Amino acid sequence: MRKQELQIDTQILKKIRMDYLLYAPSNDGEETGHKWPLILYLHGAGGSGSQLDELRKEGLPARLETESEFPFIVVAPQCPLGAFWNTREDEVLAILNEVTENWNVDPDRVYLTGFSMGAYGVWQLAAHHRERFAAIAPVSGGGDPAYARKLADMPTWIFHGEDDKVIRPTESEKIAEAMRKAGAEVELTLYPGMAHDCWKKVYTNDALYRWFMEHSAVRKIGPVNGSSPSGEMRSGVDIRISETAEGSELPDPEPDSRIVRPSREDGPAALGLYSDGTERLRIEPVREGDAEELLRLEQDNQSFFRRFAGTRDDSFYTLEKQEERVRRAVDAAALDQRYLFAVRERQTEAMTGIVDLTGVSRGSLQSAWIGYFLDLKANGQGYMTEAVRFVVRHAFEVLALHRIEAGVMPHNEPSIRVLEKAGFVREGLSRRNVKIDGRWRDHVLLAILNPKDLAQEESESSGGAEDIHP
């Protein structure tokens, strides 16, 4: 048998399609030859889908809908529902190329910003295509600290609300610290009293756009330091915006020792959640080719899983059935009905568990059920807590669900603790509702609600409107 190590180097065609909004100055530069700077904006999960009106409700587009003149060309693509920006890089770059070629764009002044899910996309897109952008501004999101090595020369201004419960500010603090260690020109602005929607301050403040224009892809112009929203020149520091008047002196930042290191008890965003999992785990939807690993996981834990699962016959433990299981899961995800995630240890790449979002309901419910199984050998290490937290964030930030429910048998205290650490709250007891191992069993009902929806309701109720009940 001859063995060879080979490499293929070829091109393939890929058909892509993505809607986007384009905002351009009234004077497009045709007559004068003026080249306009461009801002590429990546929206949060709330803008996903197929209706461009969803993009106009928040972030930079929300400002531009009422702005008569804005000295940038702005491009805002729309990510499909259920997808992360990291799976749509080809589409985003194709849109950027199309606009750059067809409009009078200054290629040395292309800037990248994004909110929430879009902020994660900013970090990844910039890391993969450093040469395309002159500066970046992620808002209310985070990224893999490993990106800092690739972005050490990227001017970066990070924004986050201190009271953000959807994505904790520690996500931004963590990557800002990594950028600083890599020698990057980075600023971190934290807004006290502001939650996830701090974009309302960020994108309405002209200081951001002045800062953008101080940077070019080929050279830095103007002062090396960036201007803060109050007009003061700062560089390489954390800025906590005070309630002082516009243009007044800001207090000196506290030393780096004030940054709180993430702990596994600090909530979902403190765990270093990335688009593909956590620091220890890779968590992604199952795909073709995962059937053999699923079969191994089920066979190795047959007696253990049986105590918590519905009745399974012998055919379930065959490769054919697991291949069918994967195909059904892939098809169901395409129909937005179910999302089955494989959980792997990053170091070994071994599949160690699964997390299942089932019964996805849209319309007036926007809900789903969550279930999970973890290899018996991996129990007690906090893996499932991390995995559930990641999938919950995915469900809220990417799938835009409102509520996730779970049912656990009353004696299964470890599983109840996993859910409660992830933010689930006990709501009651469902009597004899599921047949487990041949018997009808009671289940404790737990649920978690999307913090963004709760924050929006609180904001609306504070307006003074009275509740009306039938």
Side-chain angles (χ1 to χ4, degrees):
M1 179 71 69
R2 293 191 301 169
K3 295 183 180 181
Q4 302 181 63
E5 294 184 359
L6 305 174
Q7 182 183 73
I8 185 171
D9 185 2
T10 186
Q11 292 183 341
I12 61 173
L13 295 177
K14 176 182 178 181
K15 184 176 181 179
I16 61 174
R17 179 175 181 177
M18 178 175 277
D19 296 328
Y20 64 96
L21 294 175
L22 176 69
Y23 300 88
S26 301
N27 173 16
D28 61 9
E30 273 297 331
E31 298 180 359
T32 63
H34 177 74
K35 296 290 187 181
W36 290 101
L38 180 146
I39 298 175
L40 175 61
Y41 171 78
L42 303 182
H43 63 73
S48 299
S50 57
Q51 301 296 322
L52 284 173
D53 283 345
E54 297 299 322
L55 271 65
R56 299 182 169 98
K57 296 178 180 179
E58 64 184 22
L60 183 53
R63 169 177 178 164
L64 300 180
E65 287 296 311
T66 59
E67 190 94 358
S68 58
E69 289 297 332
F70 191 69
F72 294 81
I73 292 174
V74 177
V75 181
Q78 185 174 41
C79 194
L81 189 65
F84 270 124
W85 282 113
N86 68 326
T87 64
R88 293 297 185 271
E89 282 191 16
D90 290 343
E91 289 87 337
V92 172
L93 290 175
I95 291 173
L96 183 59
N97 291 337
E98 181 175 88
V99 174
T100 302
E101 292 170 4
N102 296 327
W103 292 79
N104 289 319
V105 173
D106 183 347
D108 293 332
R109 298 186 183 279
V110 176
Y111 308 104
L112 178 61
T113 185
F115 164 65
S116 191
M117 181 182 82
Y120 285 87
V122 166
W123 285 111
Q124 182 150 330
L125 190 64
H128 291 173
H129 305 279
R130 166 64 187 89
E131 74 287 353
R132 299 299 301 267
F133 306 105
I136 63 173
V139 181
S140 299
D144 188 341
Y147 292 151
R149 294 193 299 272
K150 299 179 180 180
L151 298 173
D153 62 345
M154 173 68 77
T156 303
W157 196 350
I158 306 169
F159 300 87
H160 219 119
E162 283 190 343
D163 293 345
D164 193 340
K165 298 298 190 296
V166 178
I167 299 176
R168 300 271 182 114
T170 47
E171 284 289 89
S172 287
E173 290 179 314
K174 184 168 46 182
I175 194 166
E177 184 180 16
M179 290 283 284
R180 213 173 280 127
K181 289 180 177 178
E185 175 194 338
V186 59
E187 294 182 11
L188 170 61
T189 297
L190 301 174
Y191 292 101
M194 293 213 70
H196 194 55
D197 60 354
C198 77
W199 63 263
K200 294 177 181 178
K201 275 190 176 290
V202 175
Y203 292 119
T204 56
N205 197 318
D206 289 339
L208 171 63
Y209 312 108
R210 291 195 299 268
W211 178 82
F212 273 153
M213 289 300 293
E214 290 168 359
H215 298 94
S216 167
V218 294
R219 66 190 181 281
K220 295 180 180 178
I221 63 173
V224 174
N225 296 340
S227 58
S228 74
S230 68
E232 182 185 2
M233 305 306 294
R234 309 295 285 263
S235 177
V237 299
D238 293 347
I239 303 173
R240 290 182 180 267
I241 300 303
S242 67
E243 296 304 319
T244 54
E246 189 75 11
S248 62
E249 187 76 12
L250 285 176
D252 290 333
E254 300 175 36
D256 284 351
S257 59
R258 69 165 184 78
I259 296 178
V260 179
R261 304 293 175 182
S263 122
R264 302 197 185 280
E265 301 301 322
D266 282 340
L271 286 169
L273 300 185
Y274 312 137
S275 60
D276 67 341
T278 72
E279 293 173 349
R280 299 193 297 172
L281 303 173
R282 187 159 59 86
I283 307 165
E284 295 176 312
V286 294
R287 61 193 69 181
E288 301 291 343
D290 287 342
E292 288 189 9
E293 288 183 280
L294 269 177
L295 178 60
R296 177 199 55 77
L297 181 67
E298 295 288 353
Q299 288 176 334
D300 290 350
N301 294 273
Q302 184 171 350
S303 59
F304 177 54
F305 288 173
R306 188 173 60 191
R307 294 158 50 190
F308 310 101
T311 303
R312 295 167 170 175
D313 58 32
D314 292 341
S315 66
F316 179 81
Y317 301 97
T318 64
L319 182 59
E320 180 182 3
K321 280 294 184 180
Q322 294 304 313
E323 289 174 341
E324 180 183 332
R325 181 186 185 186
V326 170
R327 286 194 300 270
R328 288 200 310 267
V330 171
D331 292 344
L335 295 173
D336 190 34
Q337 296 174 345
R338 175 195 181 191
Y339 297 89
L340 180 62
F341 296 86
V343 179
R344 291 183 173 85
E345 292 181 293
R346 282 198 185 274
Q347 289 188 340
T348 66
E349 285 296 311
M351 185 184 294
T352 190
I354 56 174
V355 181
D356 205 357
L357 275 181
T358 62
V360 177
S361 298
R362 294 297 180 179
S364 59
L365 292 179
Q366 300 295 331
S367 66
W369 285 84
I370 191 169
Y372 44 86
F373 290 97
L374 182 69
D375 193 322
L376 179 59
K377 297 188 296 293
N379 268 244
Q381 301 179 51
Y383 282 167
M384 193 47 67
T385 300
E386 292 185 27
V388 169
R389 283 173 168 172
F390 172 83
V391 173
V392 166
R393 193 196 71 177
H394 180 90
F396 288 157
E397 280 293 295
V398 179
L399 302 180
L401 293 175
H402 167 69
R403 174 182 170 92
I404 305 173
E405 300 177 61
V408 182
M409 286 184 288
H411 68 271
N412 192 357
E413 284 295 334
S415 186
I416 293 176
R417 285 198 299 272
V418 164
L419 292 166
E420 289 180 333
K421 286 181 180 179
F424 283 74
V425 176
R426 302 190 196 203
E427 293 190 340
L429 182 71
S430 297
R431 297 183 62 250
R432 303 292 192 271
N433 65 325
V434 181
K435 182 176 283 189
I436 301 293
D437 198 18
R439 292 176 55 191
W440 291 102
R441 308 274 187 162
D442 294 344
H443 280 74
V444 177
L445 178 63
L446 302 97
I448 186 171
L449 303 180
N450 192 327
K452 186 176 180 181
D453 294 340
L454 297 179
Q456 182 176 346
E457 287 182 2
E458 289 177 3
S459 175
E460 293 172 351
S461 63
S462 64
E466 295 183 359
D467 292 337
I468 299 176
H469 300 280

